[in-house]
């Protein structure tokens, strides 16, 4: 006995069209993953730049506000950072590639740059200075600002 019912299923053309559509969708999703992966290093760069700025801020805030009596204070440079300085001596200080306090370059931080600006500014009627540190690496930039009173 022959059955005249038509069999159900996919034709070869329908299967090929399905594979093409799914391939295009997967390619689109993978493109998003690639873009996300490329940008995922940016937070690491920003975090390192913030750590560099915080370290410089701690160094500056730890110095005396004015040059101590009997000491000679000069503008800060990479070579003389370990000497006695006052807060205002850091104005205009910049590093191309980050160096340790003794002036030795830190190879892992060679792509970072730092610039310091110190401006005398009264704070609630007391003498003080506003400290602004900008650290850049590539297109990323971090600015850290702080205050140091004249005490």
């Amino acid at each position: 006995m022959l059955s005249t019912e038509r069999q159900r299923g996919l034709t070869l053309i329908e299967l090929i069209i399905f594979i093409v559509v799914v391939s295009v969708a997967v390619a689109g999703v993978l493109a998003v993953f690639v873009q996300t992966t490329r940008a995922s290093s940016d937070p690491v760069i920003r975090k390192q730049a913030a750590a560099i700025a915080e370290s410089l801020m701690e160094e500056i805030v730890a110095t005396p506000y004015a040059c101590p009596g009997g000491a000679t204070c000069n503008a800060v440079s990479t070579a003389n950072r370990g000497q006695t300085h006052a807060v205002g001596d850091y104005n205009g200080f910049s590093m191309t590639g980050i160096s340790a306090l003794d002036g030795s370059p830190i190879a892992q931080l060679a792509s970072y740059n730092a610039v310091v600006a110190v401006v005398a500014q009264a704070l609630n009627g007391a003498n003080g200075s506003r400290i602004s540190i900008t650290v850049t690496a590539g297109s990323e930039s971090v600015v850290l600002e702080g205050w140091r009173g004249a005490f």
Side-chain angles (χ1 to χ4, degrees):
M1 179 160 170
L2 279 167
S3 172
T4 59
E5 288 184 30
R6 191 166 177 217
Q7 291 187 358
R8 300 256 177 206
L10 294 174
T11 66
L12 183 58
I13 293 174
E14 291 172 332
L15 186 59
I16 291 173
I17 291 173
F18 172 77
I19 291 172
V20 169
V21 169
V22 169
S23 297
V24 169
V26 168
V29 170
L30 288 177
V32 171
F33 284 135
V34 168
Q35 285 288 29
T36 303
T37 304
R38 280 189 194 143
S40 67
S41 64
D42 294 345
V44 174
I45 293 170
R46 271 179 267 155
K47 179 89 171 161
Q48 185 63 54
I52 293 167
E54 288 171 3
S55 176
L56 277 170
M57 183 65 77
E58 287 178 18
E59 176 184 330
I60 295 168
V61 170
T63 61
Y65 186 77
C67 195
T72 303
C73 292
N74 298 317
V76 178
S77 68
T78 304
N80 72 2
R81 276 174 59 203
Q83 298 174 4
T84 302
H85 296 289
V87 172
D89 295 339
Y90 281 89
N91 188 35
F93 172 65
S94 66
M95 281 191 283
T96 301
I98 304 304
S99 303
L101 191 59
D102 64 359
S104 60
I106 302 171
Q108 296 85 349
L109 303 178
S111 63
Y112 292 83
N113 301 314
V115 176
V116 179
V118 179
V119 178
Q121 200 168 33
L123 180 62
N124 291 332
N127 290 335
S129 292
R130 180 178 170 195
I131 305 163
S132 178
I133 301 170
T134 304
V135 179
T136 58
S139 63
E140 296 294 325
S141 181
V142 172
V143 177
L144 180 65
E145 292 189 348
W147 295 86
R148 173 70 157 81
F151 53 87

